[in-house]
Amino acid sequence: MSSLALGHQVLVARRPAAVQEFTEVLWARLRREAEEAFDRAPSLASLFLDSIINQHSFEEAVIHRVASRLKNETISLPLIIRAFHRAIEADPSIAAALRTDIAAVFESDPACERFIEPFLYFKGFHAIQAHRLTHWLWQNGERDFCSYMQSRSSEVFETDIHPAARFGKGIFLDHATGLVVGETAVVGDDVIIQQDVTLGGTGKDSGDRHPKIGSGVIIGAGAKILGNIVVEDNARVAAGAVVLRPVKARETVAGVPARVVRVEAADRPAQPAEDILRDLGFEAFVNMI
C-alpha cells in the first residue's frame, strides 16, 4: 500500500473530522506546485490556471481536469462536470478515492516527483477517475450516457474498462495504455496495474467470468489474467504471464502458463501511521491519529 494512501486511510478510520483538513493540506501543496510551475513555464499558464489555481477545491480541480480531457462536440465540459457532481453527491466514497488514488501514484511511481504530475499529465490517474464516473452511471441505469463516456474514455486514455467492473481505492494504473478489464472483474484496494494488462474471460463462459484481484496486488506489463479466478492479497503477477489458475496470497507467478516462482513471507508489521505522516511532511496530522 502507498504510505501516503495508508496515512489517509488511518485518518479516515480514526478521526473522520481530520479528513477535510488533510485534504486542504494536500490541496495547498498541489496549488503551490502549480504556482511554481506557472513561474517556470508561463507558456502553459492557461493549463495551470484553469486546472488548479482558479479551482476552489481538490475535488473540483480533479473533476475539471478529467472532464476537460473527455469533452468533445457531443459531451460538453459542463455536462461531464455536472455528472461528476451528481455521482459524488450520491456516493461520497468517490471523492475519498480521488485522494487515495493520487497518493498511490505519488508513492508508487519513482518517476513522480510532484503531485502536479499525475494530476495534470498521467492518463492512468485520469482513466481510473473516468471509470469511477462511468461505474456510477452504470449502476444508476444511465446506460447510454455511460456507454458513450466509456467509449470516449477508451479513445482518450487508451484503456478499455467495462463500466460494471469494480475497483477499490488507491489504484495506480502505470502508463495504462492497452489495459482491458472485463464486465465482472473486481479489483481490490492499493493495486498496481502496468500497461497492456488484460483482466478478461476465457471465451467459454457467460455470467461471472472475469478475475477477482485482491488488495495489494501488483500486475506486471503485458500480463493476462483470464477467467473467474481469484488472485489473493499481496500476490505478484510477472510481466507477460498468462494466469489461468488462482493465485494465493503473497505468491509470485510467472510464465505461460503462469506457475509459482516465489512465495513471500508473511507481511512485516505495518509502519506506524504517525511515522508515515511525519516522513511525508504531514507533521501537523500526527496528533490527529
Side-chain angles (χ1 to χ4, degrees):
M1 176 186 291
S2 151
S3 54
L4 182 54
L6 176 58
H8 174 259
Q9 291 184 17
V10 170
L11 287 172
V12 172
R14 296 191 185 177
R15 185 177 168 185
V19 174
Q20 182 60 36
E21 295 175 65
F22 182 84
T23 304
E24 289 172 0
V25 172
L26 179 63
W27 176 227
R29 182 164 169 173
L30 185 62
R31 287 179 61 84
R32 183 172 67 252
E33 292 178 357
E35 290 164 357
E36 292 168 355
F38 180 98
D39 291 338
R40 288 193 302 269
S43 61
L44 296 177
S46 62
L47 175 63
F48 305 131
L49 289 168
D50 293 345
S51 300
I52 300 174
I53 296 172
N54 290 342
Q55 297 299 320
H56 300 297
S57 69
F58 177 74
E59 289 82 2
E60 287 289 342
V62 173
I63 290 169
H64 185 278
R65 179 59 184 151
V66 175
S68 69
R69 296 199 67 180
L70 291 172
K71 68 179 177 65
N72 63 10
E73 65 280 358
T74 302
I75 46 173
S76 67
L77 180 67
L79 178 63
I80 302 171
I81 289 175
R82 285 196 299 270
F84 263 114
H85 284 161
R86 289 192 292 115
I88 288 175
E89 182 177 352
D91 183 1
S93 70
I94 296 174
L98 304 182
R99 298 186 291 266
T100 313
D101 290 342
I102 200 168
V105 179
F106 182 77
E107 282 297 296
S108 301
D109 190 345
C112 181
E113 298 179 349
R114 301 171 296 163
F115 280 101
I116 197 175
E117 291 162 1
F119 182 92
L120 286 179
Y121 311 124
F122 288 11
K123 66 182 179 182
F125 175 68
H126 299 154
I128 192 63
Q129 308 321 321
H131 172 70
R132 296 193 189 285
L133 173 59
T134 60
H135 182 68
W136 183 84
L137 292 169
W138 179 270
Q139 288 185 310
N140 286 274
E142 300 185 41
R143 295 296 175 90
D144 289 312
F145 187 19
C146 167
S147 296
Y148 188 85
M149 287 289 295
Q150 189 276 336
S151 175
R152 177 64 179 161
S153 177
S154 178
E155 176 186 357
V156 173
F157 303 130
E158 300 179 86
T159 60
D160 193 350
I161 307 173
H162 194 285
R166 289 182 285 154
F167 281 78
K169 54 189 178 297
I171 303 299
F172 174 28
L173 304 183
D174 192 5
H175 300 290
T177 301
L179 172 66
V180 177
V181 180
E183 177 183 11
T184 60
V186 178
V187 178
D189 297 334
D190 310 302
V191 173
I192 298 174
I193 303 177
Q194 296 184 331
Q195 70 271 20
D196 198 32
V197 164
T198 299
L199 305 181
T202 62
K204 300 179 181 179
D205 301 315
S206 59
D208 193 354
R209 59 197 183 279
H210 297 109
K212 311 297 180 281
I213 309 299
S215 295
V217 172
I218 299 176
I219 305 175
K224 314 301 177 188
I225 306 175
L226 305 176
N228 185 15
I229 59 175
V230 176
V231 178
E232 295 183 6
D233 294 353
N234 302 308
R236 305 291 184 262
V237 178
V242 176
V243 182
L244 303 174
R245 296 182 178 179
V247 181
K248 294 182 180 179
R250 299 187 299 279
E251 287 184 343
T252 296
V253 297
V256 182
R259 301 180 185 278
V260 177
V261 296
R262 184 171 61 192
V263 180
E264 298 289 345
D267 293 344
R268 292 177 295 177
Q271 182 184 6
E274 293 89 344
D275 292 345
I276 291 170
L277 293 170
R278 187 178 289 111
D279 290 348
L280 290 161
F282 291 92
E283 181 78 26
F285 291 92
V286 170
N287 294 330
M288 293 185 176
I289 59 174

